[in-house]
Each structure stands twice: as structure tokens, then as C-alpha cells.
Amino acid sequence: MNNLLITLVVLTISASGYFFITVSKAGLDNNSLSENEVKDQFTKVPDLPSISTGSEPVLIKSVRTNQDNEKQSQHSKVDDFGSITYQLSDSSFMTQLALDTDVKMSINGVVNRVRLEQTFTNPTNDWVEGVYRFPVPEDAAVDQMKMKIGDRTIIGKIQEVEQARKTYNKAKALGQKTALVESQRPNLFTTNVANIPPGGTIKVAIEYQQTVQRDQNQFSVRFPMVIGDRFTPGRDISTPVSPGAVASNTHLVKDASQVVSLTDNRVDRPVKINIDFNPGFAVSQVNGSYHDIYVQNQDDHRKTIHLAKDQSVQADRDFELTWTTTSKEESELAVFTQKKGEDHYVLLMAKPAVQNELDHDSIPREVIFIIDSSGSMDGSSMEQARKALKQAIHRLKATDRFNVIDFDDRFTPLFKEAMPAIKLNKKRGVNFANRLDANGGTMPLNAIQFAFGSRDRKSERYLRQIVFLTDGQVSNEQQILREVKSNIQQDRFFSIGIGSAPNSFLMKKLAQYGKGAFTYIGKVAEVESKMTELFKKLESPVLINNKVTFANHIYAEQGGLMVPDIYDSQYVSLIYKMDSLPKEVTFSGLELNKSFSKTISINNKFNAVGLDVLWAKRRIENLMDEYINTSDSKKRADIKDRIIKLGLENHLVTKFTALVAVDVTPSRPGDETLVSKPVAKKVKAPNTATNSELSILVGLLLLIISVFVRRLRTK
Amino acid sequence: MKKLTIGHIVFILGAVFILYGAYIPVKAKVAQYLIHQSWNESRSSGEDVKPWDWADMHPVMQLSFAKYQQELIVLEGDTGNVLAFGPGHNLQSGLPGQDRTIMISGHRDTHFEFLKDVVIGDQFEVNLREENQPFKYQIENIKIINSDTQDIEINEEENQIKLITCYPFDSAVSGGPLRYVLTAKKVKK
């Protein structure tokens, strides 16, 4: 008897799962809405693709012709071009377009010139406008744009951004093919292409230049391919949003609609990379950090490199190329020069050797770890961060102090104030790291404020270092940078970028303001080696408060204003514009509490190209820093003018200048009028009922059963 | 100690289910009460006031259906954890004052239960925290959609509100695909 009852109870409970399904199905039938009725009232459209980290698809704004005005109410999937088109009932539609990216890099010594060609193909029957948001390295100086239509090439001109938009919109209205390249953030650009004919193709090629990074004997260049889903704090405001926007502007991030991207990793976005590699010296270990590459030797030093396999990859993670010198000897200084008109542009890559070995044990440190556990860190990013944090804690000495602050949309500190790094506390830190769980928004500001605020009287006796582990997927960079700049005092700020595509603009700027260093960890396997490198820097700041001087008669204008702290293994790269070439260079600064000065004579100079552009880019970067950190509107307007002037003179895309190209031959026939329809968006309806009634019903049923059981027993 | 019999276990289980079922509407009511208080406070002070210390959402607007004596505070976001406490505003949709569809969802068995009585032509008001003047809307259209095959359309040119709840209203179980969609247009002054 008992067995039977147990079975009954189990059945009832397990049935409740099934119950859901059957009753809800029945509910649908009872509703007496026949399929046809549903169809008559509404158009069937597919779900919006799920939003996940990946690269941004092209959103197309439709420009319909008169002939094509009859309403279409089905969605079509165009496989030929690997794109997905959603056509909606109200004659507007949204297309996700496959976009081919062809990357050609030419690495010459320390300068990397990159050509990035995007092919916009229109698989629809309408004249369309394509909007594409893409990442570039934050130090890239974008100075060329070419629009290719068939055999013809139209070269983009630099204009003030408002003027460029006007030029673009005018051409768009006239039915001319036109392209516009703008910069929303130093590492985030947008290309707009208007009047792509039905079935037609327009290619937009941009070119940029950057310096090769150097760390000890290792050199590297990085090509970002992904914009992460950025978190936007603040209240929504009702300013107009950009076409294809997925986020509203907020009172904290006024341009959120332009920087937050809709991502869909199902869209085909092949990227080809070809590199002409000419480092100028013998190299070994040429590697792609996150991709397989194929290297072909041309002559002594020259190589061609392309992606292995079928030579193209999906744009789902950043590309990095690294190489090392074969010579064991580390030079203190490498000098590259370029003559342009009367001016000399000089690039110094320096690592002045410090004579006396530091006694590392003598400086106790106070390390505040700030760790990101927001939703965007979910998966291997969280694993990397956890591992990195645990290693860092293990490495602390008992004489050091530390604290850990975990943040998502809120923050939780491990201790109220920094505690000695004794075994007990370290264990608590490790447990804290193990418990980290990735969810919620990315709001680091309060955590950073807490880190500054928890500085106490004891802190003075320590070298205070803030270590920030995050993917940096935020869009309120300015607010965070301002906070760090105004409260950093004598603290040092180290940022560790985690994941397949961290926001390296933010991370590098933070490290620059905090005179620390930026380390990038792209995969779990890298955690150990990268962290060890960072520990060296954390434990031994070599030279601070640095100055670089030349002979008195030389007039030298530095591209960036500050000379950063020089760490044990790191080269600093500095660019100057000078009226004559120097014979020697003097580095001076502070080494612990002792002053340091060293003059190095320049023996070898290498010729280079494009240093002028890099100099202007650093100048602009510097002015942008000033612009962000002043609230005086008059001063801001003045800085803006100077940025515009530099941008126009050097043909550079900045926040205030953009490249625009117009094909003067009108291509859209005059009788096909331009009707610009808004892009309608579809949103999934959320679940809007609770199980309250059901659980009461199940509860009652169980009560009845229990009474029934009782009665059986008493019998 | 007396042996725990199957009967006892089933009885306790039943009681737990009933308590849980009763807790959901109570939580919804209490939350709205607390949210109301914080709303009034933040309207007078102009600062963000959290309804309770550990609250992870904030109110964005207030809906008043005078005819049904309903005053509801709408919270930002329409995920499950938000909807438990009040109707939720979809982040991708607009706000009053914008020419864009505003999408608000609520549970059919708690906050949006009264929607089953709402008819075309009913008017309601929307208050924003920063604005003193309420926005007036009128129900123009009521539809039932199947959310498995259809989505809610956000129109970028129209100042309208879509109120969404589950359908049918008296179904005992949740998770069904049907949605009750009321579309209201802004009343021109």
C-alpha cells in the first residue's frame, strides 16, 4: 500500500512539470484564436537574434524606391551573401549584412601602417545605407579613406565633423554614393555608406598608422576585431539616437546610442590578414598570440605573413603578432628619425639601465585589487581574473598590506581597510576570489572611489598600488578617467585587461594617469606569464618623475607631455618634433629617494616614415586628455579648435574631424525617390505571469492527498 | 519522537506550496507600497531614493488609471526579478516625451491584473520624475499575440505606450505564449 502511495505522490509532483506544458497548450486552444486570425492581424517575424559578445553586424537603413511600395510581409533569408534580412510589415526592415574585411599590414621597423578594407554588399532590392561600427587600436592615427566603386576610387577628404556630416547627408539626398568615417572614441570608429545600389558593392578602405610595442626583447602589434557589449550607466534622456541604435542616450553617457553595439555572432564576418613584415633586424619566434599564422621568408629580414588554414577568420577575437630579437644584448636606446620640410621628427625607444640594484624588500606595498565580476566577464574572463588575483595575493609579503574590492553594479570590499598580508588574511582573500560570480552591470566608479577613500594615515608608509582587473566594457570612460586623474595623488594605478577584447583605450589611459602599467591577458594559459611580468613591475618601480632633455640650442616639442615611470623591463617610446638632430639625450628622474641622471649618446639613427603623423596623433591625444579634464567651456572651445587644426593639417580623424568621400556622378535615378524609413525594432515580450495560483493549487492537492493517506491508515 | 510518515511529508509539502503561492502576491503588494514611498520621496528631493537598501532597480515613471483606482510605479527593465516587484519598462523602448514606442510589461496575476477590465477609450496618465505635468494617453487598440511567433514592435516615430501582460488572465500556470497587448496613443492637448 505504502509503495503505491509513494508512486502516487511522486507522480503528482513530477506531473507538475508536465502539467505546465499540457495546461498551457490547452489554454492556447481554448483561446479560440485560429491561426488565420493571428496571421490576419499580425505579421510573423522572427525573434531578434540573441545579444551576445561578438562583433557588430552592419545595420542597414532602408531607402525605398517608389516602385517598390507594395507591402511585403514575409522575412527572407538571403544565403548567397551570408546575411539575414528581416522584413517587417510596415515596409521598413532591418538587414544584417555580411561584411568582408581585408587587412594589409606593413611593418617597417617600429612603424606599422595598416590598410583596412571593408566590403559592403547589398543583398536586397532596395537602395540602402550601411552603418558599420568597428574597433581600431587606441593609438591608431587614421589618415586615409578611399571609397571604391568598380574601378573608380574616390579619395576621402578631412573636414570638421559637422561639415563632414552635412556633406554626407547632402550627397545621400542627391542619390550620390558617399562614405563617412567618424571616431566616437579613440578606439571606436563608424563607417556610413549611403546609396548602395540593389545587389551592388561598395568598398571603403581606411588607413592608419601605429607604433610597434616593445617589452624587453619582445615586439608586438595588435589588431582589435571585436567591440564588446558596453555597459551604460545613467538615466535615459530623450535625445535623438543614431540609426540602428540599440541603447538610449543617458544623462551620464550622452552618446551611448553611438557606442553601444548590437552584436550577433551568427553573422558571417570573415577577416583576411596579410602582413608585409620588415623589422629591420634578425628576428626569431614570430607568433600569432591567438591565431595560427603562416610565415614565408622573402629575403634576409623580410617576411610575408598571413593567417593559416583558409586565410580568413571570423572577427571574434583580437589579433596579435609578436616577435623577438635574436640578439641577447639589450640596447638602452634606439633612435628613429624622419625629415619633413624644416622639421625633424625623432622617435626614441629607451630603457635607461639603472646602475644600482634595488633592494626590493625595503619598500612595503599597499595593494588594492579592484576586480570586475559583472555579467560581461562571464565564462573564461572570470576564470582568468580569479586566477590572476589569486596569484597576486600569494605573491604578497607579510610586511605588505592589501584589500580586494569586487564590483558589478555595486561593490563589496573584502576588508573595511587594507589589512596586513599575513597568512590568515591571504586565505580570506583567496576564498573571496573563489566566490566571485559574474553577473550584473559594469560600474567600477564607486569601487575606485572606495579605493581612493580608504587611504588612511598608515598608507603613507607604503607604496600604494591600485590593481584594476576588468574587461573595461563601459561607455562612461570620461567619468572614470576624471575620477582617477583628480584623486590619484601618489598612488600608482595598474590595469589588467581581461578577455578576448578589453577596452584598451580606457585601461591604457588609467595606467598612464596612475603612472602604472597596462597588462593584457587574452587567455587562461597566459595568466601566469603575464602576471609574473606585471609583478616585476609592481615590485620594482625603477624611475619616477622623469624628464628627457637635449642640448640647449635644440628646440624640441614632445608629442605626449608626460614621460611615464620607467619600469625594469619596459621600453618607453617618445616622439619629438625638433629643429635639428640631437647628438645625445639626457634622462633624469628619481630612483627611490635618490636622484638619477644619465646621458646617452646617439650613435645609430634609423630612417623611418610616418613619424610626423604619429607625433600629431600623440599631440591630439594629449589635447583630448585636457579637453576631458576641464569643465571651463571657454578653455574647452579653445582646445577643440587646436584639435581641429591639428586634425585638418595632418589629415587625421579625431573626435572633431571626419573623413568624407562623395562620388559626384549621381547613381540613384531621379525617378526613384528617396524615402527613408525608420528602422523598427522588435522586442521579445517578457514572461508576465507568476506561478502563484499554480503553487496554491498544487499545495491544496497535496493537502488533500495527506488527508486521504491518514484516512487509509486509520482504516 | 514520532515517526515522520508519508502523510506528514505530503502535508508539509502542501503547506509549503500554499505559502509560496501566497507569498508572491504579498511580495508584489508590499514592494509597490515601498516603491511608492521612495518615488514620492525622490520626486520631492530630486535624488535617487532606493525603495529598500538592497534594491537593484529604480523607478522610472508612474502610471495612474483613475477609473480603476490603480497607481503603479514602473521600474527600469523587464526581467523576471524586476517584474516581481512592479511593472517593468523595456530598456530598448522609449520614454514619454520621445517619439518612440514605450513598452511596459507586468504580471497578469499581480500588478497588471486590472488590465482585463480596461477597454478601448480608457484614459490614463503617466508621470515622470523630472516633469510636473503628467502625460495623457488613451487606449486605442487591444490585441492578443502569440509571443512564440511574434514580437513587440518598437516604432521609432510614434509617441505611444504598449502595455503587455500574459493571457489568458485566469490561467493557473505561467509560461504560456500568449500576450495581451494594449496600445495607447498620446492625447493631443
Side-chain angles (χ1 to χ4, degrees):
Chain A
M1 191 62 232
N2 248 349
N3 275 347
L4 193 109
L5 274 172
I6 292 170
T7 328
L8 193 84
V9 172
V10 171
L11 267 178
T12 321
I13 295 169
S14 62
S16 58
Y18 184 66
F19 199 47
F20 282 69
I21 305 161
T22 43
V23 175
S24 57
K25 282 252 164 66
L28 189 128
D29 294 337
N30 290 342
N31 187 37
S32 76
L33 261 176
S34 74
E35 270 241 354
N36 280 340
E37 266 177 283
V38 174
K39 251 191 202 157
D40 285 346
Q41 286 177 37
F42 316 101
T43 319
K44 279 195 179 177
V45 283
D47 301 350
L48 255 194
S50 66
I51 293 182
S52 60
T53 313
S55 43
E56 174 156 13
V58 175
L59 292 175
I60 284 191
K61 199 172 175 183
S62 86
V63 180
R64 286 187 85 87
T65 58
N66 268 350
Q67 294 102 307
D68 204 3
N69 254 347
E70 47 179 305
K71 290 197 172 183
Q72 287 172 301
S73 61
Q74 81 284 14
H75 75 275
S76 55
K77 202 175 169 192
V78 189
D79 287 321
D80 301 1
F81 298 93
S83 71
I84 307 157
T85 308
Y86 302 108
Q87 247 160 349
L88 316 174
S89 58
D90 60 349
S91 79
S92 62
F93 66 102
M94 193 171 109
T95 305
Q96 292 189 339
L97 176 67
L99 177 117
D100 283 26
T101 306
D102 187 17
V103 182
K104 285 208 165 64
M105 291 189 192
S106 160
I107 297 169
N108 246 308
V110 285
V111 176
N112 181 21
R113 178 108 195 147
V114 182
R115 204 194 66 172
L116 179 69
E117 190 176 271
Q118 300 158 344
T119 306
F120 289 80
T121 308
N122 175 8
T124 70
N125 291 321
D126 299 297
W127 291 86
V128 296
E129 176 185 7
V131 184
Y132 182 52
R133 238 158 260 158
F134 61 99
V136 295
E138 64 288 336
D139 61 340
V142 178
D143 61 354
Q144 277 281 359
M145 184 260 277
K146 287 174 190 153
M147 179 169 71
K148 291 183 190 171
I149 306 150
D151 307 335
R152 287 176 307 135
T153 301
I154 295 129
I155 294 172
K157 291 195 176 71
I158 193 88
Q159 289 181 351
E160 264 186 64
V161 77
E162 274 90 34
Q163 183 56 45
R165 278 187 203 143
K166 267 186 214 155
T167 310
Y168 174 82
N169 285 327
K170 197 177 149 205
K172 181 172 129 186
L174 287 171
Q176 295 161 335
K177 296 191 181 78
T178 176
L180 174 70
V181 174
E182 284 180 81
S183 159
Q184 270 74 36
R185 296 278 189 279
N187 58 347
L188 180 58
F189 280 58
T190 306
T191 305
N192 283 55
V193 184
N195 290 316
I196 313 175
T201 292
I202 294 181
K203 288 183 178 182
V204 177
I206 67 159
E207 285 183 27
Y208 70 76
Q209 197 160 284
Q210 63 177 151
T211 36
V212 169
Q213 299 285 317
R214 179 168 189 186
D215 208 345
Q216 277 170 306
N217 273 333
Q218 181 168 297
F219 296 79
S220 64
V221 293
R222 215 181 150 74
F223 178 73
M225 298 211 237
V226 184
I227 309 173
D229 289 335
R230 293 189 178 197
F231 182 81
T232 308
R235 270 196 318 277
D236 287 0
I237 52 171
S238 48
T239 48
V241 297
S242 64
V246 291
S248 309
N249 299 322
T250 72
H251 76 291
L252 293 175
V253 186
K254 302 243 161 32
D255 62 351
S257 68
Q258 291 171 41
V259 297
V260 177
S261 43
L262 173 71
T263 51
D264 178 9
N265 45 16
R266 295 180 315 195
V267 176
D268 185 31
R269 291 194 348 119
V271 178
K272 270 189 206 159
I273 299 177
N274 284 294
I275 304 168
D276 177 22
F277 184 66
N278 192 12
F281 50 83
V283 296
S284 62
Q285 295 173 29
V286 183
N287 282 319
S289 306
Y290 314 109
H291 294 84
D292 292 335
I293 54 166
Y294 181 73
V295 184
Q296 235 174 335
N297 289 321
Q298 298 294 327
D299 51 53
D300 278 0
H301 299 325
R302 206 186 186 107
K303 297 175 200 302
T304 51
I305 299 167
H306 54 79
L307 292 168
K309 287 176 197 154
D310 50 359
Q311 299 197 24
S312 79
V313 291
Q314 288 295 319
D316 57 358
R317 59 193 187 276
D318 293 359
F319 175 83
E320 189 184 56
L321 184 78
T322 60
W323 62 96
T324 36
T325 54
T326 43
S327 76
K328 282 275 164 285
E329 193 190 329
E330 278 187 40
S331 65
E332 283 186 286
L333 182 70
V335 181
F336 301 85
T337 63
Q338 178 199 3
K339 191 159 197 265
K340 193 188 175 193
E342 291 298 296
D343 299 319
H344 294 272
Y345 291 89
V346 179
L347 171 71
L348 306 177
M349 277 191 149
K351 198 194 76 166
V354 181
Q355 297 300 322
N356 313 339
E357 266 303 306
L358 290 174
D359 182 7
H360 298 325
D361 294 329
S362 65
I363 344 154
R365 299 181 297 136
E366 175 174 320
V367 190
I368 312 295
F369 299 98
I370 303 177
I371 183 160
D372 182 351
S373 66
S374 65
S376 58
M377 294 282 290
D378 199 19
S380 70
S381 294
M382 197 69 246
E383 195 43 49
Q384 288 160 31
R386 228 182 258 134
K387 209 171 156 194
L389 175 61
K390 281 191 268 180
Q391 277 205 14
I393 291 173
H394 277 303
R395 183 102 177 188
L396 294 167
K397 297 187 194 79
T399 48
D400 297 336
R401 303 208 305 166
F402 82 106
N403 199 358
V404 185
I405 307 164
D406 154 42
F407 76 89
D408 40 58
D409 18 336
R410 276 162 290 177
F411 71 95
T412 326
L414 169 62
F415 306 117
K416 274 194 196 132
E417 49 182 17
M419 297 292 274
I422 50 172
K423 249 190 195 148
L424 177 79
N425 290 334
K426 278 164 119 173
K427 205 171 165 195
R428 287 176 69 181
V430 170
N431 288 339
F432 188 79
N434 284 332
R435 279 200 308 271
L436 293 172
D437 184 26
N439 59 47
T442 312
M443 292 175 72
L445 195 64
N446 294 337
I448 294 173
Q449 277 164 347
F450 179 86
F452 289 136
S454 62
R455 203 187 275 135
D456 56 22
R457 229 180 303 151
K458 279 187 228 151
S459 303
E460 282 169 19
R461 278 179 277 140
Y462 296 84
L463 173 67
R464 203 158 190 273
Q465 296 168 328
I466 296 169
V467 181
F468 185 42
L469 297 100
T470 179
D471 58 7
Q473 291 313 347
V474 295
S475 48
N476 61 332
E477 292 108 324
Q478 295 203 0
Q479 218 189 350
I480 296 165
L481 289 172
R482 225 177 286 145
E483 172 69 30
V484 171
K485 179 128 185 169
S486 49
N487 291 311
I488 187 76
Q489 294 183 21
Q490 291 309 309
D491 295 358
R492 294 291 187 265
F493 205 104
F494 292 80
S495 49
I496 302 177
I498 305 270
S500 64
N503 182 352
S504 49
F505 159 65
L506 174 68
M507 320 285 276
K508 276 197 182 162
K509 252 299 76 93
L510 285 171
Q512 184 195 323
Y513 285 173
K515 292 193 173 171
F518 165 62
T519 306
Y520 171 80
I521 297 177
K523 51 188 179 192
V524 177
E526 279 183 354
V527 172
E528 202 150 341
S529 60
K530 292 282 177 96
M531 285 305 284
T532 314
E533 264 172 53
L534 180 73
F535 293 142
K536 275 195 210 151
K537 290 170 192 166
L538 279 168
E539 289 159 17
S540 56
V542 177
L543 293 173
I544 60 171
N545 299 342
N546 297 305
K547 257 194 208 139
V548 173
T549 44
F550 303 96
N552 272 335
H553 67 273
I554 297 175
Y555 171 78
E557 197 180 344
Q558 195 189 332
L561 284 187
M562 275 198 298
V563 180
D565 287 7
I566 300 171
Y567 289 90
D568 206 11
S569 59
Q570 218 176 23
Y571 277 79
V572 291
S573 89
L574 306 163
I575 302 188
Y576 297 87
K577 179 170 147 182
M578 299 180 175
D579 56 358
S580 60
L581 285 174
K583 296 219 163 41
E584 54 182 33
V585 52
T586 306
F587 292 86
S588 53
L590 278 177
E591 172 194 337
L592 260 187
N593 294 314
K594 184 171 72 169
S595 64
F596 167 91
S597 178
K598 185 164 198 177
T599 303
I600 306 170
S601 58
I602 299 173
N603 302 321
N604 286 321
K605 286 192 284 278
F606 303 96
N607 286 326
V609 287
L611 296 183
D612 53 330
V613 178
L614 293 174
W615 179 84
K617 170 71 189 175
R618 289 215 189 163
R619 240 3 318 226
I620 289 166
E621 195 189 319
N622 224 308
L623 288 167
M624 264 322 283
D625 278 0
E626 274 182 55
Y627 183 82
I628 288 168
N629 290 303
T630 40
S631 43
D632 184 350
S633 60
K634 233 179 161 180
K635 224 172 158 188
R636 273 172 92 104
D638 176 53
I639 298 168
K640 184 176 165 181
D641 286 345
R642 284 163 66 194
I643 295 173
I644 290 171
K645 190 163 170 272
L646 274 165
L648 295 179
E649 275 173 10
N650 294 283
H651 216 260
L652 284 177
V653 177
T654 67
K655 193 164 171 70
F656 309 116
T657 51
L659 285 163
V660 62
V662 176
D663 180 13
V664 285
T665 6
S667 49
R668 182 163 44 80
D671 57 339
E672 294 184 9
T673 41
L674 183 96
V675 186
S676 197
K677 287 279 172 193
V679 179
K681 277 200 311 221
K682 303 268 160 172
V683 175
K684 193 106 194 101
N687 196 8
T688 45
T690 64
N691 285 325
S692 143
E693 267 181 62
L694 176 74
S695 62
I696 290 177
L697 277 181
V698 171
L700 281 175
L701 189 65
L702 290 172
L703 284 193
I704 291 164
I705 291 171
S706 76
V707 171
F708 181 61
V709 170
R710 211 136 233 251
R711 200 167 290 167
L712 274 178
R713 298 221 137 189
T714 44
K715 265 184 197 172
Chain B
M1 208 186 119
K2 229 179 112 185
K3 226 180 124 193
L4 214 58
T5 61
I6 297 292
H8 284 114
I9 294 170
V10 174
F11 182 84
I12 290 165
L13 256 172
V16 167
F17 268 97
I18 290 177
L19 279 177
Y20 175 71
Y23 160 72
I24 294 171
V26 169
K27 179 169 89 168
K29 271 261 153 54
V30 172
Q32 269 291 322
Y33 174 75
L34 291 172
I35 292 165
H36 259 281
Q37 286 211 320
S38 79
W39 169 265
N40 290 335
E41 222 173 291
S42 69
R43 270 201 99 175
S44 55
S45 69
E47 275 165 33
D48 278 319
V49 179
K50 285 193 171 181
W52 50 92
D53 274 354
W54 61 93
D56 54 357
M57 76 288 282
H58 66 272
V60 277
M61 61 183 109
Q62 184 190 36
L63 297 180
S64 328
F65 280 79
K67 190 175 162 188
Y68 304 95
Q69 285 125 47
Q70 289 287 341
E71 279 207 354
L72 291 164
I73 308 286
V74 179
L75 302 168
E76 191 66 316
D78 56 5
T79 50
N81 58 339
V82 173
L83 294 186
F85 300 112
H89 167 247
N90 183 284
L91 293 166
Q92 296 191 26
S93 72
L95 282 170
Q98 300 176 342
D99 281 335
R100 201 152 176 241
T101 305
I102 303 152
M103 173 178 165
I104 299 166
S105 311
H107 283 162
R108 66 156 153 69
D109 43 4
T110 58
H111 307 108
F112 271 2
E113 196 177 6
F114 75 100
L115 287 184
K116 65 172 186 265
D117 302 321
V118 172
V119 291
I120 290 176
D122 278 352
Q123 292 204 346
F124 63 95
E125 291 182 349
V126 178
N127 281 294
L128 281 180
R129 205 173 74 182
E130 296 83 359
E131 310 266 341
N132 288 323
Q133 282 295 319
F135 296 83
K136 263 207 171 119
Y137 288 83
Q138 181 169 339
I139 306 282
E140 299 252 308
N141 178 335
I142 299 176
K143 283 178 181 178
I144 294 149
I145 65 162
N146 184 339
S147 69
D148 282 348
T149 52
Q150 289 164 272
D151 291 323
I152 310 294
E153 224 170 88
I154 306 283
N155 191 309
E156 307 248 347
E157 279 184 341
E158 234 161 318
N159 189 336
Q160 59 176 14
I161 294 187
K162 287 188 177 174
L163 301 172
I164 291 128
T165 194
C166 276
Y167 189 84
F169 282 95
D170 48 2
S171 163
V173 290
S174 67
L178 297 182
R179 297 288 180 276
Y180 199 65
V181 181
L182 297 90
T183 307
K185 285 231 165 76
K186 193 166 180 242
V187 180
K188 296 210 171 73
K189 277 162 203 161

